[in-house]
Amino acid sequence: MSRQWGQLPERGSGWTLRLIRWIALHLGRSAGRTLLYPITLYFLATAGEARRGSRLFLRRALGCEPGWREQFRHIHCFAATILDRVYFLTGRLNDFEMEIFGSQWILDQAASGRGCLLLGSHLGSFEALRAIGLHLRHFPIRILMNTRHNPAMTQLLDALNPALAQTIIPIGGPETLIKVQESVEQGYLVGVLGDRVAPGEKAAHCQFFSQQVALPVAPILFAALAGCPVILCFGLYQGGNRYQIHFELLAERITLDRRHRQEQLGFWVQRYADRLEHYARDAPYNWFNFYDYWQEAPAGLAEENGYGERPPRPQRFARQLAMGWDGLGTLLLSNVLLLATLGLSGLWLFHRVWQIARRTPAQVAENDWVVVLGARLQQDQVSDEYACRLERAAALYHTDPRRRILLVGGLTGGSVSEAERGRQFLVAMGLPAAALAIEDQSLHTLDNLRRARQLLGENKTHPFVLVTSRYHLARSGTLAQGLGLRPVLCAAEDRWSLHPLTLWRLALEAGYLHWYEVGRFWARWTRNRHSLTRIT
């Protein structure tokens, strides 16, 4: 199993946590669920690695090639459980229908006064299980959690339910095992997730969906050392307000023989993997490991390219997730504003994007520097859209050879950066290499412009020509101005042409611009230095 999940950053801030809590608890679940649709669409359109991870899993679980509808349902299911997490953590369970299977295992265990290990996974909602135990049955529960990897979740617990946060047992310290044993002896049900291997953690290999993966052995070792039963638990989201809670006994007691320790660990891990696969097939859209779980890349790259995807780049996945709570919070706020204005704020920005795309000239006479924004390469080659931008830059150079051209854009799925391939393209057109400068580390428009500002140095206070596609002009110009730059917009295309794809791109740009404007206003109003540093 891939361990890349442990390298993915999670960032947060207090105000965004409060915003998410306020939306969930004050606007109500119906309004909150309405906001999930644009959020799901955003991630489906931009989070390439998460989308790829979804497809790799659904291909196995469904037995066929999943389309956009299946992947949308997969990501939306995850978003819905995240929203419901707020209600579970605050004990607001009256609006949910909980169907419980195998409850007798838990009831008998709690009545015995003995503790046990509740072995779960990232399949479905573990918070739904915890809500059942704490708020409906009042079972004593403690949870093993990697608080260092997921500080945002720790903050959310503290904000929503401080008493519940006290039930967390941090994983990774020398006292973890002692606390587990003490909790079991005191009659606690100790919950732990067993489907991800942390960096440096011991694992055993087993078969999962007909291919070998590595799963952690720590839960089995904890149960063996504590001498307690292991009960499997799965909280599966069924859509709407319905959840199914499943409990079943994995082992009454696990005993490990020193001479056959590895074989016995492998046996119990395989038993867990078999039951995990059973429930994953039964509820495939509840699988919330959005990465290459079986490490199919790079062997599967040719197949992935056959479906129009770029080879996976871990840094791009990290960039998408690095949006964190700040980005997610302002995205929610942006959608709240759209709903509150009945879409008028979005329509106003769409009109602005439209007018700038239509009216911006393709010829600019002044300025020494020409900055060309990169575009995603196609199999390491310049795409038609990028070629149009580069040809415009070449035309500007030929009108005044004193100009210098700065190409920006890093690796976006291949072995060469956008900026480097653009430089090679212009050199092949006859432009001198001395007239060209490149920046090949940035991964998105805001990053392009921020790094361009650094390279321009003292020239950043002077106007410069900014070349990009017409649909992209409004957002690029706004971002540049937000960074304190003085762009003179120049359209890559000679003429403005209207077709369905153009309308979709304009609408998407208006959405991005709406998000940016709302986020900038909110960051300034709340004096959020973290967000302001990123966008100004």
Side-chain angles (χ1 to χ4, degrees):
M1 182 188 72
S2 173
R3 305 188 186 199
Q4 62 177 291
W5 70 272
Q7 302 169 359
L8 303 177
E10 295 199 21
R11 288 185 266 182
S13 61
W15 71 267
T16 46
L17 293 173
R18 291 192 295 271
L19 173 62
I20 292 171
R21 179 180 58 182
W22 187 88
I23 290 174
L25 299 181
H26 292 81
L27 294 185
R29 189 167 180 268
S30 297
R33 284 178 60 82
T34 301
L35 297 176
L36 296 182
Y37 289 96
I39 291 173
T40 301
L41 282 173
Y42 167 76
F43 279 103
L44 188 62
T46 62
E49 295 299 333
R51 188 173 64 246
R52 182 177 295 105
S54 169
R55 188 175 63 256
L56 291 174
F57 170 76
L58 292 178
R59 183 184 297 163
R60 293 173 178 271
L62 301 178
C64 61
E65 185 63 32
W68 285 87
R69 181 177 297 178
E70 289 76 21
Q71 292 181 69
F72 178 91
R73 182 178 175 183
H74 192 189
I75 296 174
H76 183 269
C77 183
F78 174 64
T81 61
I82 293 297
L83 176 66
D84 289 344
R85 179 180 295 178
V86 175
Y87 302 103
F88 292 145
L89 292 175
T90 53
R92 301 191 179 192
L93 306 179
N94 292 334
D95 294 332
F96 294 95
E97 295 180 10
M98 299 284 191
E99 189 176 8
I100 305 176
F101 299 87
S103 59
Q104 200 61 43
W105 290 112
I106 293 294
L107 293 173
D108 291 346
Q109 190 63 43
S112 71
R114 298 170 55 213
C116 74
L117 198 73
L118 287 178
L119 184 53
S121 64
H122 292 86
L123 179 74
S125 172
F126 198 77
E127 274 67 34
L129 296 163
R130 183 158 42 184
I132 289 290
L134 289 177
H135 300 295
L136 295 184
R137 299 289 185 175
H138 305 290
F139 296 146
I141 290 181
R142 287 183 177 170
I143 304 297
L144 283 162
M145 180 182 292
N146 189 337
T147 55
R148 289 176 296 180
H149 173 68
N150 199 348
M153 183 59 198
T154 305
Q155 293 181 42
L156 184 62
L157 281 171
D158 288 333
L160 293 174
N161 195 328
L164 188 60
Q166 300 304 313
T167 67
I168 299 299
I169 301 176
I171 292 178
E175 71 285 352
T176 299
L177 178 58
I178 297 175
K179 290 184 177 180
V180 170
Q181 290 180 304
E182 290 177 348
S183 298
V184 169
E185 291 172 358
Q186 295 168 9
Y188 281 93
L189 312 181
V190 180
V192 62
L193 306 183
D195 59 331
R196 291 183 183 178
V197 183
E201 186 178 8
K202 293 181 179 180
H205 291 280
C206 62
Q207 289 294 311
F208 184 61
F209 279 88
S210 302
Q211 187 169 328
Q212 191 177 78
V213 298
L215 294 179
V217 298
I220 305 301
L221 290 173
F222 286 153
L225 292 172
C228 65
V230 179
I231 297 177
L232 298 179
C233 50
F234 302 94
L236 305 179
Y237 178 59
Q238 301 296 306
N241 65 342
R242 295 175 292 110
Y243 282 82
Q244 285 186 355
I245 312 299
H246 294 263
F247 297 103
E248 63 177 72
L249 184 69
L250 179 70
E252 182 64 39
R253 185 183 181 93
I254 293 178
T255 303
L256 299 177
D257 186 337
R258 183 175 299 178
R259 294 172 300 176
H260 306 287
R261 183 186 182 92
Q262 285 303 119
E263 294 85 345
Q264 292 170 340
L265 284 172
F267 169 80
W268 288 112
V269 167
Q270 184 63 62
R271 286 279 299 273
Y272 168 72
D274 291 342
R275 300 312 296 160
L276 179 61
E277 180 176 337
H278 168 79
Y279 287 103
R281 289 187 183 276
D282 188 51
Y285 299 106
N286 278 255
W287 180 257
F288 299 150
N289 291 302
F290 290 98
Y291 57 90
D292 186 2
Y293 198 80
W294 287 270
Q295 292 183 291
E296 295 187 33
L301 289 187
E303 180 182 7
E304 293 308 309
N305 284 334
Y307 291 103
E309 295 290 343
R310 295 292 181 270
R313 301 295 302 183
Q315 67 268 33
R316 285 187 62 80
F317 190 21
R319 177 178 65 81
Q320 296 294 348
L321 293 182
M323 179 185 72
W325 289 104
D326 283 344
L328 181 58
T330 53
L331 179 59
L332 286 170
L333 189 60
S334 176
N335 283 285
V336 168
L337 181 60
L338 281 172
L339 289 174
T341 62
L342 302 179
L344 293 178
S345 58
L347 286 175
W348 179 76
L349 285 176
F350 180 85
H351 179 264
R352 174 177 157 191
V353 172
W354 171 294
Q355 291 297 328
I356 291 176
R358 187 170 65 89
R359 295 177 177 177
T360 299
Q363 295 292 334
V364 180
E366 68 274 9
N367 305 316
D368 298 328
W369 276 95
V370 176
V371 176
V372 184
L373 297 182
R376 184 180 289 272
L377 303 178
Q378 295 179 349
Q379 298 182 350
D380 270 350
Q381 299 303 314
V382 169
S383 64
D384 292 341
E385 180 179 328
Y386 193 19
C388 187
R389 299 180 188 183
L390 294 169
E391 288 167 357
R392 176 61 56 202
L396 291 172
Y397 174 80
H398 288 310
T399 61
D400 187 354
R402 294 173 299 176
R403 282 173 166 155
R404 293 197 65 194
I405 298 174
L406 173 60
L407 306 168
V408 293
L411 290 169
T412 53
S415 59
V416 64
S417 69
E418 296 170 357
E420 174 57 26
R421 188 60 82 205
R423 187 190 68 82
Q424 296 171 5
F425 185 92
L426 290 177
V427 169
M429 290 186 65
L431 271 68
L436 307 176
I438 68 170
E439 182 287 310
D440 58 1
Q441 299 299 313
S442 54
L443 295 173
H444 53 83
T445 303
L446 182 60
D447 200 19
N448 291 159
L449 294 166
R450 187 187 297 114
R451 293 177 184 270
R453 179 177 62 178
Q454 295 174 353
L455 293 177
L456 290 174
E458 61 184 23
N459 294 312
K460 67 185 178 183
T461 58
H462 302 296
F464 64 92
V465 179
L466 181 61
V467 176
T468 189
S469 305
R470 286 186 178 273
Y471 74 87
H472 194 225
L473 285 165
R475 180 161 63 102
S476 302
T478 300
L479 293 176
Q481 291 171 358
L483 292 169
L485 299 172
R486 300 175 62 190
V488 177
L489 300 181
C490 180
E493 304 91 344
D494 288 322
R495 294 180 301 277
W496 164 247
S497 59
L498 186 62
H499 48 80
L501 179 59
T502 303
L503 287 174
W504 163 248
R505 285 176 166 175
L506 291 176
L508 194 61
E509 288 293 309
Y512 279 132
L513 194 54
H514 191 276
W515 183 11
Y516 170 78
E517 295 286 11
V518 170
R520 184 170 61 171
F521 170 80
W522 186 259
R524 287 175 174 171
W525 188 56
T526 59
R527 299 181 182 179
N528 187 323
R529 293 183 180 179
H530 178 261
S531 293
L532 286 173
T533 300
R534 294 175 64 184
I535 63 178
T536 60

